[in-house]
Amino acid sequence: MGEIDNVSSRPDRPAGDSDHVNAAFHALLEGATAPRPPAPPDCPFCDLPQDRYATSYRGHWILLEPRILVPAHTVPPRRRWVISSSGTALNLWDAEPLPGTVCRIPHRIACPRLEAEDHWPWVTALRGHNSRRSQRLFDLPDEGLPDAG
């Protein structure tokens, strides 16, 4: 058909956004902040040695717990990593794992020096809401109740 001027190849990308900035953002979002080679693959917080893998984001690395394979359905979404045949770590994001799938976990969710992550914020919010609701059942006001006797 005809050529159309001023059409972006990716209309969802903001003006001025580059692949590098987009990749850096996603790498940080997924926890790919490991020290690059030749630095040792040690956690910068607890100094424990880890397995370091390059990610699909150029120039970004991830520290994964060494020698630990976990059933993927037990790991929160966006924390499931698999190693491709080329040796690159890939994040499964929200993809539902097939039965029997195993994955690697990032060290930062198991690091003893970092505050534990809230893997399911909506469940935490619901838990707080239910806590307030249950307190209302038992914290009745002492004054102003009608006499039932």
Side-chain angles (χ1 to χ4, degrees), residues 10-80:
R10 290 187 55 192
D12 58 338
R13 178 182 294 176
D17 189 16
S18 69
D19 286 334
H20 174 70
V21 172
N22 198 24
F25 172 75
H26 284 288
L28 290 174
L29 186 65
E30 296 174 16
T33 58
R36 297 178 181 170
D42 298 337
C43 174
F45 303 103
C46 69
D47 293 325
L48 290 173
Q50 302 301 313
D51 288 343
R52 177 179 45 210
Y53 289 92
T55 66
S56 57
Y57 304 114
R58 189 177 52 148
H60 291 86
W61 302 80
I62 184 80
L63 291 178
L64 300 177
E65 278 296 306
R67 300 173 304 280
I68 293 181
L69 292 174
V70 182
H73 70 278
T74 65
V75 178
R78 300 183 185 206
R79 299 297 180 260
R80 303 172 184 138

Side-chain angles (χ1 to χ4, degrees), residues 123-146:
V123 174
T124 303
L126 181 59
R127 188 178 300 112
H129 175 72
N130 285 342
S131 175
R132 290 186 296 279
R133 286 180 55 216
S134 68
Q135 281 301 100
R136 282 186 235 138
L137 295 175
F138 300 106
D139 290 344
L140 297 175
D142 293 331
E143 301 173 10
L145 292 177

